[in-house]
Amino acid sequence: MPAGALAAEGRVRADVPTRVRVVGLQEYGTASVRTLLFVLLGAVSFVLLIACVNVANLQMARLVARRGELSVRMALGAGRRRIVRQLLTEAVVLSLVGAALGVLLAWLAIGVTLPLVPSSLLPRLGDVAIDARVLTFCLGLSFVSTLVVGLLPALRVGKNAFGEGTALHAGETRTTGDRQGERLRTLLVAAQMAMTLVLLVGAGLLIHSFVRQTSLPTGFESSGRDGVLQVVRVTLPDRLADTPERIHTFARGVLDGIRHLPGVKSASVINSVPFAMMFIQGDFEIEGQPKPTIDVGIPKIDAGYFKTMGIPVLAGREFTASDTTAAPNVAIVSERVVREYFPGGAREALGQRVRIWGNREWLTVVGVVADIRQRGLTQDIQPMIYAPFQQDRSGLLRFVSFVARTTDPAAAAQGIRAEIRRAAPDLPIESAVTMDDAVAASVAEPRFRMVLLGLFAGAAMLIATCGLYGLMAYAVTQRRREIGVRMALGATRRDVQRLVLGRALRIVAVGLVIGLVGAVGVTRVLQTFLFGVTPTDPIAFAAVTLLLLAVGVLAAWLPARRATRIDPSAALRAE
């Protein structure tokens, strides 16, 4: 509909520019996860490239080992095209076998991993399956991988592919391979290290962010020496919430039963439990002050709530059973309210009067409590004004959460369910969780992102480590005669070890430098997933660099150790 028509109908103001953006349902439904999906696609692509580079390196090494066979074929009349076709055919078979195994593993992994994915993270999880489209994509990806893996070695086939004068040389083992091929294999391993570093830095940033996030204090004690917090939430129907008195009677009856359950130390009720989706907030006033511009949380709680939750009372008193509709209206404010509106501190706040949304009467402040993170670990601390549950006259307390501190959460949950059914047999129970579970659920998405990218980074590091090990082991084998000559001329085992490790460290160093440059640019995509950490966090970059350097040294140490055990006389006699 044109903006003019909307203005004519009174839906928008004619003097205000109006912009309307129309998006498809699929785009709207996936907007919140689009960045994550692209990150995962990039991680998968990096792992695939690293694996392809590794296989290409192995194929090139195998090509050198088959010099004699291929040289004989060429000497007997086989053309370069025929040899390339043979090598590509072998690569296709290898690729198809790998794709088949990959699809089988993916089919098995879906059943294991899908239940671990937070339902709020990815939409339509139930539709995730291996269908014809997935199989077609895998087949196409296998074909592309075959080209990447098979063409690189195949293109090196030619009249000079195996070094001058070595085509039919009986002493084939003398040669150390062509220098160009060796440089190419070294470059590929360095590229592996660079891509691995990018993935590891991304995983390191998410890990550091998750640690920072979960180390934030909640403000309440979800578990401790006195027991665990068990929460059971219900939504009251009209027949139980038509009057305030009926709500109070229901809550009081259930609470009395809960407090007598075995193992329950204390219990209370609230209409807006921390870390739950339902959070009631609104504006407020302080008598004698200009109206604040921010909203406050306005939970309605019963006596013993702060004791049950483990929230410290900093000044004044907690609500008691006598704070009913017959008593003066009272309130308890959080530390942030005092900090922002009462310069004299808690003593100044006590005795002041406030008025909250949904309540036209003034409430006298009788206590000050510590701040809590009501809406989640990553959310700012919300200013709170608590009012007694039994004094609420609005009749809007449909959302009721019973909170109990108990030494046996499972038994307490069953007992609370039984008390609720005793008071209202047909009342459905929405959820029964511990506060530890609620806090863990609030960070389920960042935990899943961290674990997933960490697995990809770990797989990449394992593949790259195998690639470096294979390159160094192959180099030691090819340079066996050279090492034997060096040792015969007086080189010590330490010199030989330094020779092999030095080359490996140069390869790793080149990969690390390229990877660090790439990571600085690529990790900016993770900005929206980070908490308290920048995309160029020096801790993550330093830790990952040292880790990959140590892994590189370890991968090269075994071939270096094998090189020191070469017998000079045996190496020379073999020539």
Side-chain angles (χ1 to χ4, degrees):
M1 182 179 292
L6 292 174
E9 294 185 9
R11 300 188 192 180
V12 298
R13 291 176 55 185
D15 59 337
V16 177
T18 303
R19 304 183 72 181
V20 179
R21 181 172 179 262
V22 180
V23 298
L25 181 60
Q26 183 177 6
E27 181 182 352
Y28 176 79
T30 59
S32 59
V33 296
R34 186 176 299 273
T35 303
L36 175 61
L37 294 178
F38 278 118
V39 169
L40 295 182
L41 178 62
V44 172
S45 301
F46 268 45
V47 174
L48 177 63
L49 284 175
I50 293 170
C52 287
V53 167
N54 218 27
V55 177
N57 247 337
L58 293 175
Q59 291 285 76
M60 290 180 65
R62 186 165 175 262
L63 179 66
V64 175
R66 297 173 63 186
R67 281 179 302 191
E69 171 200 343
L70 298 180
S71 296
V72 170
R73 288 176 179 270
M74 295 178 70
L76 293 177
R80 183 184 181 193
R81 181 176 300 178
R82 187 179 184 88
I83 298 296
V84 170
R85 187 164 60 244
Q86 175 191 344
L87 296 176
L88 285 178
T89 301
E90 295 173 355
V92 167
V93 173
L94 179 65
S95 177
L96 290 178
V97 172
L101 291 176
V103 170
L104 176 61
L105 290 176
W107 180 75
L108 295 174
I110 285 179
V112 177
T113 56
L114 279 187
L116 304 179
V117 181
S119 57
S120 59
L121 182 62
L122 294 175
R124 301 174 60 186
L125 275 177
D127 296 338
V128 176
I130 297 178
D131 53 15
R133 293 174 298 176
V134 175
L135 293 176
T136 302
F137 176 78
C138 290
L139 184 62
L141 193 60
S142 298
F143 177 74
V144 174
S145 301
T146 300
L147 294 180
V148 173
V149 171
L151 276 181
L152 192 60
L155 291 176
R156 295 196 48 74
V157 174
K159 60 181 180 180
N160 296 321
F162 310 125
E164 297 181 0
T166 61
L168 296 174
H169 200 286
E172 178 185 5
T173 56
R174 285 188 187 181
T175 64
T176 60
D178 61 307
R179 296 294 181 183
Q180 185 179 359
E182 186 177 354
R183 285 195 297 268
L184 181 58
R185 289 190 294 271
T186 300
L187 181 61
L188 290 177
V189 172
Q192 281 184 311
M193 288 292 170
M195 289 185 285
T196 301
L197 180 69
V198 174
L199 284 179
L200 284 174
V201 168
L205 289 173
L206 292 182
I207 292 172
H208 192 194
S209 173
F210 184 77
V211 171
R212 293 286 297 271
Q213 185 174 347
T214 54
S215 63
L216 292 173
T218 60
F220 54 84
E221 187 178 356
S222 57
S223 60
R225 292 187 305 172
D226 295 333
V228 177
L229 280 176
Q230 178 70 48
V231 180
V232 177
R233 188 167 66 245
V234 296
T235 299
L236 302 182
D238 291 339
R239 63 181 180 80
L240 291 177
D242 54 351
T243 63
E245 291 75 17
R246 188 168 299 219
I247 297 175
H248 299 161
T249 301
F250 168 78
R252 178 61 61 187
V254 174
L255 267 182
D256 288 343
I258 293 174
R259 286 168 177 159
H260 290 87
L261 292 175
V264 173
K265 302 292 186 67
S266 60
S268 188
V269 66
I270 183 175
N271 68 329
S272 185
V273 70
F275 287 80
M277 294 184 63
M278 177 54 60
F279 177 65
I280 301 176
Q281 61 181 355
D283 56 1
F284 71 106
E285 298 179 62
I286 301 176
E287 190 177 32
Q289 294 190 22
K291 188 174 181 179
T293 58
I294 65 172
D295 290 343
V296 296
I298 47 177
K300 307 298 176 65
I301 63 174
D302 199 57
Y305 175 76
F306 298 115
K307 176 185 176 183
T308 302
M309 293 290 294
I311 302 174
V313 178
L314 305 178
R317 66 174 178 87
E318 190 172 352
F319 295 142
T320 64
S322 60
D323 290 318
T324 62
T325 54
N329 297 319
V330 293
I332 295 176
V333 299
S334 68
E335 192 176 4
R336 182 178 171 186
V337 174
V338 173
R339 192 165 52 247
E340 295 191 11
Y341 297 101
F342 298 101
R347 292 183 180 275
E348 180 186 349
L350 294 177
Q352 298 288 335
R353 297 205 304 173
V354 297
R355 184 158 54 191
I356 57 177
W357 176 84
N359 195 330
R360 298 181 179 179
E361 300 177 353
W362 289 100
L363 312 176
T364 303
V365 177
V366 297
V368 177
V369 296
D371 290 325
I372 67 169
R373 296 187 182 274
Q374 175 78 20
R375 294 182 293 181
L377 288 174
T378 60
Q379 301 295 322
D380 293 335
I381 293 177
Q382 180 83 7
M384 308 284 283
I385 297 181
Y386 301 88
F389 190 92
Q390 298 292 330
Q391 285 188 352
D392 182 81
R393 299 180 179 88
S394 66
L396 301 176
L397 297 180
R398 290 182 174 272
F399 309 101
V400 178
S401 295
F402 296 97
V403 183
R405 185 168 294 277
T406 175
T407 55
D408 189 349
Q414 293 180 357
I416 296 173
R417 289 175 183 268
E419 292 298 327
I420 293 174
R421 291 195 180 97
R422 181 183 58 79
D426 57 344
L427 180 62
I429 296 174
E430 292 186 12
S431 66
V433 297
T434 64
M435 283 306 300
D436 282 335
D437 293 337
V439 174
S442 70
V443 293
E445 292 186 15
R447 181 191 296 111
F448 180 77
R449 290 193 295 262
M450 174 192 68
V451 171
L452 198 59
L453 193 57
L455 289 176
F456 284 130
M461 183 173 67
L462 179 61
I463 296 172
T465 302
C466 292
L468 179 62
Y469 170 80
L471 176 67
M472 300 313 301
Y474 180 74
V476 168
T477 302
Q478 293 296 100
R479 300 176 68 179
R480 184 180 181 87
R481 177 176 178 273
E482 174 192 343
I483 294 174
V485 170
R486 286 176 179 270
M487 296 183 71
L489 295 177
T492 63
R493 294 180 182 272
R494 180 172 297 181
D495 294 331
V496 173
Q497 195 171 36
R498 188 183 300 116
L499 174 68
V500 178
L501 288 178
R503 184 189 175 197
L505 288 178
R506 286 193 296 272
I507 298 173
V508 172
V510 171
L512 292 182
V513 171
I514 298 174
L516 287 173
V517 175
V520 170
V522 173
T523 53
R524 296 187 184 278
V525 181
L526 300 175
Q527 177 70 58
T528 56
F529 303 136
L530 301 180
F531 175 81
V533 176
T534 63
T536 55
D537 179 57
I539 296 178
F541 273 72
V544 167
T545 302
L546 292 176
L547 172 64
L548 201 54
L549 184 63
V551 169
V553 172
L554 182 62
W557 180 76
L558 291 176
R561 184 182 178 188
R562 184 184 305 167
T564 61
R565 296 180 177 178
I566 293 177
D567 184 2
S569 58
L572 294 176
R573 280 198 304 269
E575 297 296 324

